[in-house]
């Protein structure tokens, strides 16, 4: 299938930011056997705009997308967080090419009002909408043009290619016992939980928190190296309690073989096997579980390995991409996707 993928493909980051669900989707579409062309709205706007001012490139970016559609003749357009592209442009694409299907993807949380508004807006023009929150939370968006689908956070075997579950506690390559990387401060109080853990966890447990407590965040290769040399990771979302919702962090941790602690309220045990993710309900249970797994290295390695294997086998970006294509086009599913229930 000929697919035009419209999203932020990060060309102007020049390799600094490489962990991206959008880039995983693009490579997954290619691996699934599709002819895929990338259109990066933010980069086009910057390149085309006077003085490189992105907002001044909005109109020409929309024209360039129309030009690209005319030249490439896609059968399906998959678009993500391309805020510079208006619904009116997609409506014009539909007018000119009524056979083209439109699939929208959104990987941001519903508790951010602007994001919820963006989903509602895209539901008016897309044929299918894929959101990284579970189907129970998507009911308010039903009734518009788009059919609603959940999409998980996938691993890419070429990106999540480390396996910290193989590292024993006394391995000199293992430099961090517990990792939490963060760079977002809005709509969250998770910093209080991290502070409490900092105070109460044993002194021999090396708890590293890049991006918090005046520490710089990690990007690119520095982030990848940190994951490869850490044995456990916290999957703390800015807010908890949304069905099947997590930031992309969960795939980055699990896919690299770290033992993952995540809040039980998301309900990932609906499709995750036993002895993979470690679920906690409050600060006390989280602290207890961290210490227990820190002291029992064989158990930590066993759970982390099972979780990594499951993500790479059942939640990889090739299956993820093919699922989006099949759901958007109404084709029969070619795989028993674990998140489809």
């Amino acid at each position: 299938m000929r697919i035009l993928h419209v999203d932020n493909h990060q060309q102007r980051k020049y390799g600094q930011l490489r962990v991206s669900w959008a880039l995983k989707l693009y490579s997954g579409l290619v691996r699934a056997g599709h002819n895929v062309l990338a259109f990066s709205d933010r980069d086009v706007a910057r390149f085309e705009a006077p003085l490189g001012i992105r907002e001044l490139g909005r109109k020409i970016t929309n024209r360039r997308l129309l030009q690209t559609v005319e030249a490439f003749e896609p059968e399906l357009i998959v678009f993500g967080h391309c805020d510079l592209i208006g619904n009116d442009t997609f409506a014009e694409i539909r007018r000119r090419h009524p056979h083209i299907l439109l699939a929208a993807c959104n990987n941001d949380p519903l508790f951010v009002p602007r994001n919820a508004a963006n989903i509602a807006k895209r539901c008016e023009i897309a044929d299918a909408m894929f959101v990284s929150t579970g189907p129970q939370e998507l009911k308010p968006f039903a009734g518009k043009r788009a059919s609603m689908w959940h999409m998980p956070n996938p691993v890419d075997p070429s990106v999540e290619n480390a396996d910290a579950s193989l590292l024993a506690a006394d391995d000199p390559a293992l430099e961090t016992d517990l990792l939490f990387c963060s760079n977002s401060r809005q709509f969250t109080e998770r910093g209080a939980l991290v502070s409490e853990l900092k105070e109460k966890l044993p002194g021999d447990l090396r708890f590293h928190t890049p991006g918090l407590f005046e520490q710089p965040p990690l990007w690119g290769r520095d982030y990848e190296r940190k994951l490869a040399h850490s044995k456990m990771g916290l999957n703390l979302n800015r807010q908890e309690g949304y069905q099947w919702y997590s930031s992309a962090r969960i795939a980055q941790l699990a896919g690299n073989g770290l033992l993952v602690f995540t809040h039980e309220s998301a309900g990932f045990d609906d499709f995750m096997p036993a002895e993979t993710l470690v679920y906690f309900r409050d600060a006390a249970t989280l602290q207890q579980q961290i210490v227990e797994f820190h002291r029992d290295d064989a158990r930590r390695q066993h759970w982390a390995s099972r979780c990594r294997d499951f993500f790479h086998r059942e939640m990889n970006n090739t299956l993820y991409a093919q699922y989006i294509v099949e759901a958007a086009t109404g084709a029969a599913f070619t795989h028993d996707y674990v998140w489809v229930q």
Side-chain angles (χ1 to χ4, degrees), residues 27-206:
S27 59
L29 289 168
V30 173
R31 288 192 181 117
H34 300 288
N35 180 3
V36 190
L37 178 65
F39 185 95
S40 187
D41 67 313
R42 299 183 201 183
D43 295 307
V44 171
R46 183 80 70 177
F47 296 151
E48 295 276 12
L51 304 177
I53 300 173
R54 191 173 74 187
E55 274 302 310
L56 298 180
R58 183 183 293 268
K59 287 185 178 180
I60 193 171
T61 299
N62 283 264
R63 293 200 300 270
R64 292 300 192 199
L65 179 59
L66 293 172
Q67 177 184 345
T68 302
V69 171
E70 294 289 341
F72 186 61
E73 297 182 343
E75 300 163 85
L76 172 66
I77 297 177
V78 178
F79 61 98
H81 298 174
C82 51
D83 294 344
L84 296 177
I85 307 299
N87 272 14
D88 55 342
T89 297
F90 287 118
E92 179 63 17
I93 291 172
R94 193 185 300 284
R95 187 189 70 80
R96 297 184 188 182
H97 311 276
H99 67 283
I100 295 178
L101 293 171
L102 303 178
C105 300
N106 191 295
N107 206 55
D108 283 348
L110 300 183
F111 54 76
V112 177
R114 179 177 178 273
N115 187 56
N118 283 342
I119 293 174
K121 180 181 73 173
R122 293 311 198 189
C123 283
E124 296 173 356
I125 194 64
D127 296 294
M129 167 64 74
F130 299 86
V131 184
S132 58
T133 307
Q136 291 181 9
E137 315 288 352
L138 303 182
K139 294 177 182 178
F141 303 103
K144 299 186 179 182
R145 181 188 182 98
S147 58
M148 303 302 299
W149 301 86
H150 170 70
M151 64 177 187
N153 285 287
V155 300
D156 183 329
S158 66
V159 176
E160 281 81 28
N161 55 16
D163 190 355
S165 73
L166 298 175
L167 301 177
D170 58 355
D171 193 315
L174 202 57
E175 60 186 35
T176 303
D177 296 315
L178 182 64
L179 178 67
F180 177 64
C181 296
S182 173
N183 194 44
S184 183
R185 305 287 193 274
Q186 292 184 316
F187 305 103
T188 186
E189 297 179 358
R190 62 187 172 187
L193 174 57
V194 176
S195 296
E196 183 175 346
L197 291 174
K198 282 273 191 183
E199 291 180 8
K200 295 184 177 180
L201 287 173
D204 67 328
L205 193 153
R206 297 165 295 182

Side-chain angles (χ1 to χ4, degrees), residues 295-308:
R295 302 291 188 225
D296 190 342
D297 207 47
R299 185 171 176 237
R300 183 269 304 180
Q301 290 180 298
H302 171 69
W303 282 52
S305 177
R306 279 176 52 83
C307 192
R308 184 183 190 277

